[in-house]
Amino acid sequence: MQQKKIRKWEIVGVFFLVGVGTLLHFIYDWSNQSQWVSIFSPINESIWEHLKMGFWALVLFSLLEYRFIKSKTQNFFLAKGLGSLTLQGLIVIVFYSYTAFTNKPIMFLDISSFVVGCILCQLVSYKILTKSRPKPVLNWLGLGILLASATLFVIFTFAPPELILFQEPSTYLKGK
């Protein structure tokens, strides 16, 4: 019974991540380029900025989900932290793999990698949530991953490093 409930939440999560993540792509411009919104929404077309879409959608969904399944699992933060890394890692790997050959972004592949990343994120989360109790330190590690990611998304929105991950693929510009 517990696995069924968790599975339903993780499936709903896929749709939530894709839907809310997609909305986050546009909210910065809709908000008249609000600084507060820039923390959660991409401010340019760099890969780093687009990773925010899935991450913040996952955080929002996790806040809701935690309330309903916290008593059914002991490894919630580990599941969400590793799910987040899976989503972000897939997007980065797919983008840099195909652009090594095309030398330009292809929107269909970018959108597809986001959707597949959301599915894999929730699949990883489900697998971890339905495992036996992990050591408490692992759950703390998952929480650390989420907090570190959130911190880096905020800091690097306003002070992006001089790395290709932070540059727009077509112009090589970074930041605001």
Side-chain angles (χ1 to χ4, degrees):
M1 182 66 167
Q2 288 182 1
Q3 283 189 346
K4 238 181 191 179
K5 185 172 186 173
I6 292 171
R7 181 175 38 242
K8 286 179 184 177
W9 272 100
E10 298 314 294
I11 290 168
V12 168
V14 170
F15 294 100
F16 187 94
L17 296 181
V18 171
V20 171
T22 300
L23 281 175
L24 286 174
H25 187 276
F26 303 102
I27 290 178
Y28 178 66
D29 284 335
W30 293 348
S31 73
N32 231 5
Q33 300 183 341
S34 162
Q35 260 195 324
W36 289 107
V37 173
S38 72
I39 293 169
F40 308 102
S41 182
I43 60 172
N44 63 37
E45 293 300 316
S46 72
I47 300 308
W48 175 262
E49 287 294 316
H50 281 76
L51 295 178
K52 287 185 200 178
M53 297 173 358
F55 177 78
W56 290 115
L58 177 65
V59 167
L60 185 58
F61 181 72
S62 296
L63 291 171
L64 174 67
E65 180 184 28
Y66 183 72
R67 181 174 177 191
F68 292 96
I69 70 166
K70 67 182 174 188
S71 65
K72 299 182 180 357
T73 182
Q74 299 297 313
N75 46 11
F76 184 82
F77 297 111
L78 177 64
K80 297 306 168 179
L82 294 180
S84 170
L85 292 179
T86 301
L87 170 57
Q88 294 172 34
L90 181 84
I91 290 170
V92 170
I93 290 167
V94 168
F95 180 80
Y96 288 113
S97 294
Y98 85 77
T99 57
F101 298 101
T102 65
N103 291 320
K104 64 179 182 176
I106 300 172
M107 189 182 304
F108 172 76
L109 293 177
D110 296 338
I111 293 169
S112 297
S113 71
F114 176 69
V115 172
V116 171
C118 290
I119 293 167
L120 288 177
C121 169
Q122 293 301 96
L123 182 61
V124 165
S125 181
Y126 173 75
K127 292 293 187 183
I128 294 170
L129 287 169
T130 56
K131 292 289 178 199
S132 62
R133 297 177 187 219
K135 295 180 180 174
V137 70
L138 294 177
N139 207 37
W140 284 105
L141 174 66
L143 183 59
I145 289 168
L146 293 170
L147 292 174
S149 294
T151 301
L152 291 175
F153 279 122
V154 172
I155 291 170
F156 292 157
T157 292
F158 301 106
E162 294 288 336
L163 299 170
I164 195 165
L165 184 66
F166 299 90
Q167 298 171 345
E168 292 195 38
S170 58
T171 63
Y172 299 105
L173 298 174
K174 64 178 180 61
K176 286 184 163 189

